Amino acid sequence: MSTQVALQLLVVGGYAVGFILLGIFGHRVSERTLDDYFVAGRSFGYAMTIGTFIATLYSAFLFLGLVGAAYGNGLSGPIPVFVGTALQALFFWVFANRFWQLGKVFGYITLGDWVAHRFQDRKYGVLISLMQLGWTFPYFALQIIGGGLAISILSQGAIPAGVGAVVITFIILVYTYLSGMRGVVWTDLISAIIFCLIPVILLLTLLTHPAGGWTGLVNQLSASRPEAFFREGALGINSVAIWATLALMFGFNILGQPQMFMRIFIARDFRTIASVGFLGFGVIAPVVGLIVAVLGTLLAAAAPGIENPANALPTFAVQAYGPILSALLLAGILGAIISTTDSVLLALSSIVERNVYEYVRPNRSSREYFNVSRIIILVSTIAGLVMALTTPFTILDLGFTTFAGYATLVIPALLGLYWKRGNKYGAWTSSLLGTGVVFYLMIIAGYGSTPVLGVHASFWGILVGIISFVLVSMVFSEETNRGRDSIFEHLESFRRRRGTAVSGTSAEESAEA
Amino acid sequence: MSRNTLRLLIGALIWVVMALLLFPVFLPAGSAGAYPLVAGLLPKWFVILLVLFAAYWILLVTLFVLTLGEYREPEGDLTEEQR
C-alpha cells in the first residue's frame, strides 16, 4: 500500500472515528426511553430537522447511483428523480404535517403505529411493518455496496469492495448501536452540509479542466456523444410517460420510507416540520440534485471510459485530485452513506420492536423492548451485509425496487388520513395487491427499470393500490371505528386551533367581526 | 386580496407548475434534432426546466412565508375531550 493510499485511509478513518465519538456523546446525553432513542424526545429545531431529512434522503444512491445515471444516460438520466423530490415537498405539506400533529397526541413513531390506530387493526400494522422491513433491506444493502466500492476505489484496489463493505458496516453498527436518534441527527447535520458542498466543489473545479472548462467539456461531449444532451436521455428511455411515472413513484415513496416517517416526529413544533417540506424537499433537495445531474454529465467528458457508471464519481476524484482532497471528498460520500444507513437501521429496529415484537409479546418491560431493539440492529446489520455481498442487482435497480415498494405499501396510510370511509378491508387489499404487482413486475419478472406497457413498473402497483383501496372500502363498509373517529375529531380541533393562531384572532372575535 | 386568497392562488399555481414538471410534453425530444445548446453550455430543454424549477421555488418560498410568517403555536395543550 503506497503512502498516498495510507494517508487517504487515515483521513477517512479519522472521519469515521469522529462519527463514533459523536454517537457516544449522543448516547451519554440521551434518556433511556424508547421515545428518546427513536425520535429524540420530539425536540429538534430547524437546522437539525432539515439536515437529518436531507442527509437521510441522499446517500450512496445520489453520489453513485444518480451521478452514474447522468454519466451513463446523459443529462436527463436522473432528472425525473429530482422532479420527484420537488413533488415530495408537496406530499410532505399535504400529509406529513398532519402526521406530526397526530403523532404529538397519539405517540406514533412508525407507520405501523399509524395504520394500526387508524384502521383499528394491529395485524395490519404488523403486515405494513413486515412489508417495510422487506423493502428496506435492498436499500440497506445498496448503501453497504456503495460504501465498499468507495473504500475499494480510495485504496486503489488494495482493499477489495467486499472487505470495504464489512468495514463500513462495522462502523455503522458501532455508531448506531451506541447513539440512537440523538447521535444520528447530530452527525446527519454535519453530513448534510458536507455532501451538499461536494457536488458544488467538484463542479467548480471542472471550471479549470484542461479540456477548456465547462464549455470545453460540453463541446467535447456534444461532438462525441450528442445524445447525452437529449431530453429522452442517451439510451432513449426517458419518454414523457417514464419521466412522469418515475417522478410519481418518488413523490409517493417518501412517507413509506420508515426512516423518513420516523423523522417527522423529531420536530419540536409545527413550524419546524413545515419548513422541512418547503425548504428541505422543495428547495435544497432538487437544487443539489440538478447540480449532480450536470456534474455526472460533465464527468462523462472529463473521465470517459469508466466501465461501471456507479464508480464515476469516486474514480474521477481519486484520479483528478490530490490525496488529501480526494480523501476528504470520499469521506463526505461515506458520511452520506453512513447517515442514511444508520437511519435505516434505527428504523428497522423500531418497526420490528414496536409493531411486531410488541404484538407477539405484549406488556413486557420497557427495558426488554429497548434491549430487543438493539438486538434487532445487530441482526439487521448482518442480514443487510449478507444481502450486499450476494445480490446480483445494481445500485440503481436496488434503489428503484425499494422506492417502488414503499410507494405502493403507503397508499392506504396516506388516503386514510383524509378519506374517512377508507377502512381495513380496503387497506389489506390495497397493500397486498399493489405491493404484489410491484414485487412481481420488478423482482420476479425482472423488469427493474425497463418500462412495462410504456410506463415505469411502479405505476401499475400504485394504480392497483389506489383503485383497490377505494373500491373495497366502498363495498365492505365499516360500522364503527373509534380510532378513526378520534383521529378526525382531533384533526378538526387542531385545524380550528391553528386557524385561530395563524389569524391572530379568536373564533369569538372573528364571529363578532 | 386577503392573505388566505393569496395563499390559495399561490398553492394552485404551485400545482400547475408541478404538473408541467411532471409531464414535460412541451420539451421536444433531442432525437428530433431539438437540443440546441444555450450559450454553448446547456440544452434548451434543460434551461426551460431550470426556469420552471425557479418559478416553483419562488412560489414555494412565498407560500412558506405567507403561511408561517405570522404563525404562532396554539397555546396550551389539548383538553381531554379534544383528545
Side-chain angles (χ1 to χ4, degrees), chain A residues 167-185:
Chain A
V167 171
I168 199 85
T169 308
F170 178 74
I171 294 169
I172 293 162
L173 179 64
V174 171
Y175 160 69
T176 315
Y177 191 82
L178 287 177
S179 63
M181 183 64 94
R182 202 171 284 279
V184 165
V185 170

Side-chain angles (χ1 to χ4, degrees), chain A residues 300-328:
Chain A
I306 296 170
E307 195 177 338
N308 180 359
N311 293 345
L313 184 55
T315 305
F316 175 75
V318 169
Q319 284 172 0
Y321 305 115
I324 301 293
L325 185 57
S326 62
L328 282 172

Side-chain angles (χ1 to χ4, degrees), chain A residues 39 53 99 108-115 132 254-266 410 413-414:
Chain A
V39 289
F53 266 99
F99 282 133
Y108 306 139
I109 290 179
T110 66
L111 191 67
D113 292 348
W114 155 247
V115 293
Q132 278 188 311
I254 189 70
L255 291 170
Q257 294 190 23
Q259 62 273 22
M260 288 296 182
F261 192 85
M262 258 173 77
R263 270 168 171 63
I264 292 171
F265 306 112
I266 67 169
V410 80
L414 299 184

Side-chain angles (χ1 to χ4, degrees), chain A residues 107-193:
Chain A
Y108 306 139
I109 290 179
T110 66
L111 191 67
D113 292 348
W114 155 247
V115 293
H117 185 213
R118 166 62 182 84
F119 297 111
Q120 289 292 289
D121 186 353
R122 285 197 71 182
K123 284 181 187 156
Y124 182 62
V126 173
L127 174 79
I128 285 295
S129 302
L130 291 176
M131 282 183 167
Q132 278 188 311
L133 187 70
W135 289 115
T136 300
F137 275 114
Y139 196 53
F140 186 31
L142 175 165
Q143 311 298 336
I144 295 175
I145 293 170
L149 275 176
I151 289 179
S152 173
I153 291 168
L154 183 73
S155 67
Q156 295 173 14
I159 300 175
V163 177
V166 174
V167 171
I168 199 85
T169 308
F170 178 74
I171 294 169
I172 293 162
L173 179 64
V174 171
Y175 160 69
T176 315
Y177 191 82
L178 287 177
S179 63
M181 183 64 94
R182 202 171 284 279
V184 165
V185 170
W186 286 346
T187 46
D188 274 0
L189 179 64
I190 298 167
S191 283
I193 294 169

Side-chain angles (χ1 to χ4, degrees), chain A residues 75-76 79 82-83 86-87 89-90 93 105 214-215 218-219 222 226 229-232 240 243-244 247 269-271 274-275 278-279 282-283 286-287 290 294 490 493 497-498 501-502 504, chain B residues 7 14-15 18 21-25 27-31 35 37 40-43 45-46 49-50 53 56-57 60-61 63-64 67-78 82-83:
Chain A
L75 186 59
S76 95
I79 297 292
F82 305 125
V83 172
L87 183 63
L90 303 188
W93 177 244
V105 176
W214 291 352
T215 315
V218 167
N219 287 337
S222 188
F229 296 101
F230 289 1
R231 192 264 294 143
E232 67 272 31
V240 170
W243 177 302
D269 53 33
F270 183 77
R271 203 191 284 258
S275 68
F278 278 120
L279 304 178
V283 181
V287 168
L290 290 169
V294 174
H490 170 72
S493 137
R497 284 151 56 95
R498 204 182 55 171
V502 170
Chain B
R7 270 213 306 261
I14 286 177
W15 282 103
M18 178 48 69
L21 284 168
L22 275 175
F23 300 98
V25 285
L27 299 179
S31 50
Y35 79 103
L37 296 176
L41 205 57
L42 292 169
W45 66 264
F46 190 77
L49 205 70
L50 284 183
F53 261 114
Y56 172 79
W57 291 322
L60 203 66
V61 172
L63 186 64
F64 178 65
T67 304
L68 297 176
E70 290 186 359
Y71 177 77
R72 285 183 286 110
E73 288 294 323
E75 285 175 15
D77 213 343
L78 292 167
Q82 283 169 326
R83 281 173 196 267

